[in-house]
Amino acid sequence: TVGFIRTKMVYIQKRKKGILPLFEKYYLGGPYTIRGYDFATISPRDPKTGERIGGNKMFLCNLEFRFPIAKKLRLIGVIFFDMGNTYDIHQKFDITNLKKSVGAGIRWFSPMGPLRLEWGYALNAAPDESTSNWEFAIGTFF
């Protein structure tokens, strides 16, 4: 059995005379950030349009407990707890306002590379957000 902890706290700002493009901002949700939420749906929104605009600041924490299911097949199980959020340039980091999820999954170190199938349940999803998701990914886990 193995325990994993990953934390990330980041900040980005535009250059003096430039703009910060939407694709360089931070979005959370999906198999590599906060499982249980749809991909890139945890983000500040434009107050006029409601469109997700990405954050200039982000906090993310993933906790995992991995355990062997079938050693010869290189199959392991995982249970996890994820939390984090993104914030606009005008918002302060607020660790009391984090999106949280829990879940479980199976990982297989196949001849083609690592495969994972995980189910996440969002603990505090907003009414317009998904409450659970199945995630499938190929490649490294963290």
Side-chain angles (χ1 to χ4, degrees):
T1 60
V2 179
F4 281 89
I5 299 174
R6 177 178 77 157
T7 59
K8 225 180 196 185
M9 190 171 185
V10 293
Y11 172 80
I12 190 170
Q13 68 180 23
K14 65 179 181 162
R15 295 181 183 170
K16 287 184 181 180
K17 293 186 178 183
I19 61 167
L20 186 60
L22 292 178
F23 63 86
E24 288 188 11
K25 292 187 175 187
Y26 302 110
Y27 301 82
L28 295 177
Y32 297 103
T33 60
I34 302 178
R35 294 159 281 195
Y37 291 86
D38 288 333
F39 180 75
T41 57
I42 300 173
S43 163
R45 293 178 181 252
D46 183 296
K48 294 178 184 173
T49 66
E51 184 178 343
R52 290 179 178 88
I53 57 172
N56 297 67
K57 298 173 261 189
M58 175 189 73
F59 172 76
L60 175 65
C61 181
N62 305 106
L63 305 170
E64 288 189 354
F65 178 70
R66 298 178 188 176
F67 51 92
I69 295 175
K71 284 187 179 185
K72 286 185 180 181
L73 296 175
R74 301 176 65 188
L75 191 65
I76 63 171
V78 62
I79 56 173
F80 62 84
F81 173 75
D82 298 334
M83 64 181 168
N85 209 342
T86 58
Y87 306 94
D88 190 22
I89 191 75
H90 304 294
Q91 297 174 305
K92 292 183 180 181
F93 275 109
D94 182 4
I95 60 171
T96 64
N97 182 24
L98 299 176
K99 297 292 186 178
K100 299 173 186 137
S101 71
V102 295
I106 295 174
R107 296 184 180 170
W108 178 37
F109 293 91
S110 78
M112 297 182 307
L115 303 175
R116 68 194 242 185
L117 178 64
E118 296 170 346
W119 175 78
Y121 178 77
L123 296 173
N124 56 345
D128 65 336
E129 294 175 322
S130 64
T131 56
S132 70
N133 260 335
W134 282 97
E135 309 280 357
F136 175 75
I138 300 173
T140 57
F141 300 133
F142 258 169

